[in-house]
């Protein structure tokens, strides 16, 4: 589910970049749901495995899609739309999983009869996909480098504020991990999880 979600996220970045005039990601084969062109050895493999086996804060990412702003027809608009495409794709997947889950809940008896022993694991897998994609969307829209949200904010800020963001960009990953370790990051996700639980009841 993580590989699917990350692949869809990065493929969406590459597809929108292609539509906006930059075919860098497209030519690299990044407009693909196959996880192979998107895998980052550390972010897609090592960190998720460490989180799974050690209980450390779970974090994962795919190889970023390269964007050459020189090719964009409108740099500001293009960069913002490309950045929003990733979280937007995760929200789209989450909505799809939610609809399927609701259908399974509404037609529980018939679905269990249809799926047999696969009904419960299918339901759990869809739940994981729903929550994971909501988490990815929220996480990536946080305006801290190198997340997608920081590029959106960067292009909305006046020049002097954008320069400050340029200065903190090398430390963005440390800031994010500090937020995870201190538990602050969970407050970004709790409201969304409450809404999801409401819809699933």
């Amino acid at each position: 589910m993580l590989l699917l979600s990350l692949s869809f996220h990065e493929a969406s970045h590459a597809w929108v970049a292609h539509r906006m005039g930059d075919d860098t990601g497209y030519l690299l084969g990044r407009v693909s749901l196959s996880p192979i062109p998107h895998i980052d050895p550390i972010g897609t493999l090592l960190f998720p495995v460490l989180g799974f086996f050690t209980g450390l804060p779970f974090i994962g990412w795919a190889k970023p899609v390269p964007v050459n702003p020189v090719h964009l027809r409108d740099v500001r608009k293009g960069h913002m739309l490309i950045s929003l495409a990733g979280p937007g794709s995760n929200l789209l997947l989450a909505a799809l999983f939610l609809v399927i889950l609701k259908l399974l809940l509404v037609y529980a008896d018939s679905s269990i009869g249809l799926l047999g022993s696969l009904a419960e694991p299918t339901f759990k897998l869809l739940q994981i996909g729903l929550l994971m994609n909501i988490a990815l969307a929220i996480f990536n829209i946080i305006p801290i480098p190198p997340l997608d949200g920081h590029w959106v904010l960067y292009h909305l800020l006046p020049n002097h504020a954008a320069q400050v963001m340029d200065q903190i960009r090398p430390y963005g990953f440390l800031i994010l991990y500090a937020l995870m370790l201190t538990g602050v990051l969970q407050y970004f996700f709790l409201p969304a999880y409450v809404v999801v639980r409401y819809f699933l009841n």
Side-chain angles (χ1 to χ4, degrees):
M1 188 57 74
L2 178 65
L3 288 175
L4 169 65
S5 304
L6 291 177
S7 298
F8 195 59
H9 180 107
E10 296 301 331
S12 298
H13 281 314
W15 183 79
V16 173
H18 181 58
R19 298 284 295 180
M20 299 302 295
D22 178 30
D23 60 357
T24 305
Y26 178 82
L27 294 175
L28 291 173
R30 303 298 300 275
V31 185
S32 170
L33 294 182
S34 168
I36 295 175
H38 306 295
I39 286 178
D40 179 280
I42 297 177
T44 316
L45 302 176
L46 179 61
F47 269 67
V49 170
L50 286 176
F52 181 81
F53 285 107
T54 65
L56 290 171
F58 188 87
I59 182 173
W61 63 88
K63 186 166 53 178
V65 171
V67 175
N68 188 342
V70 173
H71 297 153
L72 296 175
R73 289 186 289 272
D74 183 327
V75 175
R76 182 173 180 271
K77 178 183 176 182
H79 216 170
M80 291 175 68
L81 289 177
I82 293 167
S83 298
L84 289 171
S89 69
N90 292 125
L91 288 178
L92 184 63
L93 272 181
L96 175 63
F97 293 144
L98 179 60
V99 169
I100 298 173
L101 282 167
K102 289 298 288 185
L103 290 174
L104 288 177
L105 288 172
V106 171
Y107 302 104
D109 294 335
S110 59
S111 65
I112 291 175
L114 177 64
L115 296 172
S117 61
L118 293 177
E120 185 175 350
T122 298
F123 190 84
K124 288 182 178 179
L125 181 64
L126 290 169
Q127 275 190 317
I128 291 171
L130 172 61
L131 295 174
M132 180 177 292
N133 277 279
I134 289 176
L136 284 170
I138 295 173
F139 181 71
N140 278 283
I141 206 64
I142 296 173
I144 298 176
L147 302 178
D148 298 324
H150 109 273
W151 285 115
V152 178
L153 179 61
Y154 180 84
H155 288 290
L156 293 174
L157 291 173
N159 287 337
H160 64 279
Q163 290 174 3
V164 173
M165 185 165 284
D166 281 330
Q167 294 174 355
I168 69 170
R169 187 171 290 129
Y171 311 103
F173 185 83
L174 295 177
I175 296 172
L176 285 171
Y177 219 76
L179 292 176
M180 289 183 197
L181 292 174
T182 58
V184 174
L185 206 58
Q186 66 179 326
Y187 295 106
F188 288 89
F189 303 105
L190 285 177
Y193 285 161
V194 171
V195 172
V196 169
R197 293 300 180 188
Y198 172 79
F199 279 108
L200 288 178
N201 289 332

